[in-house]
């Protein structure tokens, strides 16, 4: 059974940085893509970034391009989200997610495996 444990959230001032981590276990991930989503209070869960485990291809939501970087460490079965130049509107619970295949990668409904979430709060 695939398990994801995400961590690294916290409170940071606007303009600051955080690095989220996702530890994956229980599967062979070469055919997976790993995603980060976020959900702010009263809003739907939204796509942030995703990376293909096999070749490292990445995709980003437009509002985080140039500020966030998703990466993976195959040896550790870990995925990271480096978040720089954080803004108050980045405040949300961030979730790591995993699935096989890349079709419709922005849809949270396509991901069967989820971490428990980690809170990111950016103060102005």
């Amino acid at each position: 059974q695939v398990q994801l444990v995400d961590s690294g959230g916290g409170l940071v001032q606007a303009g600051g940085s955080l690095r989220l981590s996702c530890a994956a276990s229980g599967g062979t991930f070469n055919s997976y893509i790993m995603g980060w989503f976020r959900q702010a209070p009263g809003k739907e869960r939204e796509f942030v970034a995703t990376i293909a485990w096999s070749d490292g291809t990445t995709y980003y939501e437009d509002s985080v391009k140039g500020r966030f970087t998703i990466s993976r460490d195959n040896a550790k079965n870990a995925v990271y989200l480096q978040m720089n130049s954080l803004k108050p509107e980045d405040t949300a619970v961030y979730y790591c997610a995993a699935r096989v295949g890349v079709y419709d990668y922005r849809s949270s409904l396509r991901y069967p495996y989820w971490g428990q979430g980690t809170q990111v709060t950016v103060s102005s």
Side-chain angles (χ1 to χ4, degrees):
Q1 181 70 8
V2 172
Q3 291 188 321
L4 306 175
V5 178
D6 37 38
S7 61
L11 173 64
V12 65
Q13 289 189 331
S17 298
L18 282 173
R19 186 193 194 210
L20 306 184
S21 299
C22 175
S25 62
T28 304
F29 296 103
N30 201 49
S31 60
Y32 279 63
I33 63 171
M34 307 295 292
W36 285 98
F37 289 76
R38 64 186 180 187
Q39 188 165 18
K43 295 188 176 181
E44 292 186 355
R45 192 168 296 188
E46 66 172 1
F47 168 77
V48 176
T50 192
I51 186 167
W53 207 282
S54 58
D55 64 4
T57 299
T58 58
Y59 302 93
Y60 294 93
E61 197 271 331
D62 286 346
S63 68
V64 308
K65 283 181 181 177
R67 300 189 298 123
F68 291 10
T69 302
I70 189 170
S71 62
R72 79 208 191 287
D73 184 329
N74 287 15
K76 295 182 178 180
N77 272 4
V79 176
Y80 307 100
L81 186 69
Q82 178 66 43
M83 305 187 295
N84 299 328
S85 302
L86 282 161
K87 304 175 181 180
E89 51 263 43
D90 295 318
T91 295
V93 177
Y94 283 69
Y95 298 89
C96 176
R99 56 165 287 190
V100 174
V102 70
Y103 172 75
D104 200 16
Y105 60 85
R106 293 176 176 272
S107 172
S108 62
L109 299 177
R110 300 282 184 180
Y111 293 75
Y113 306 109
W114 291 85
Q116 79 283 4
T118 184
Q119 177 71 48
V120 171
T121 303
V122 184
S123 63
S124 57

